[in-house]
Amino acid sequence: MFPPVAPRAGEKLCALADIPDGGTWSHLYGAARAIFPVVVARKGAELIAYVNVCPHQFLPLDGYMGEFLTDDGEYLYCMQHGAVFRLNDGVCVAGPCGGRRLLGFNVEVRGEDVVMGRWPDAPARPPADPRDHSPPNRAR
Ligand code: FES
């Protein structure tokens, strides 16, 4: 399960300053069929990390264009076919992969850097509240 091109636990992903508060940072490790695409979102001091692969057709959420979040910053969306995922737990709340979730992993802040946490350890977020299916404010 551990992708050979994935950073090892403790390996630097980026500087904390690379992730704007209310925004995301993404990177593609590896090449060809051995890739590990990541996206890390920041909400204040909280970092939320996922493998950048949509559970619908296993394509990158952003098409590697760097656009992940809805206007309210509470959801990630997939530009491929419109799936929408709660940022906090990665659960799909709208679109073609309803009920499935993004694969999360842990990251840690060490000094000024964001480093890879333990893996595999998904989901990194607490279980979803199944009652929360409020419609997202999707960005375009
Ligand atoms: S690949 Fe993401 S919605 Fe289809």
Side-chain angles (χ1 to χ4, degrees):
M1 178 84 183
F2 189 100
V5 295
R8 295 175 187 219
E11 189 173 323
K12 179 180 176 180
L13 297 177
C14 63
L16 182 59
D18 291 337
I19 313 172
D21 192 4
T24 59
W25 171 88
S26 62
H27 189 71
L28 174 62
Y29 293 89
R33 290 177 179 248
I35 60 170
F36 185 69
V38 303
V39 56
V40 183
R42 181 175 177 181
K43 293 171 75 175
E46 184 180 18
L47 297 176
I48 304 166
Y50 294 106
V51 178
N52 180 15
V53 174
C54 179
H56 177 222
Q57 291 189 347
F58 307 103
L59 298 170
L61 296 170
D62 66 326
Y64 301 127
M65 302 295 284
E67 297 278 335
F68 291 94
L69 294 173
T70 54
D71 285 343
D72 62 7
E74 296 297 322
Y75 300 87
L76 297 154
Y77 67 92
C78 181
M79 70 174 292
Q80 311 291 348
H81 311 104
V84 180
F85 305 88
R86 276 195 307 252
L87 179 59
N88 285 349
D89 59 15
V91 170
C92 181
V93 296
C97 48
R100 287 187 265 174
R101 65 193 312 159
L102 299 172
L103 181 60
F105 60 92
N106 294 312
V107 295
E108 301 171 12
V109 176
R110 290 192 188 160
E112 302 295 316
D113 294 334
V114 177
V115 303
M116 188 75 180
R118 292 165 285 127
W119 177 271
D121 202 3
R125 311 298 309 152
D129 180 349
R131 296 167 296 179
D132 182 10
H133 285 275
S134 53
N137 176 21
R138 183 170 176 198
R140 279 289 179 180

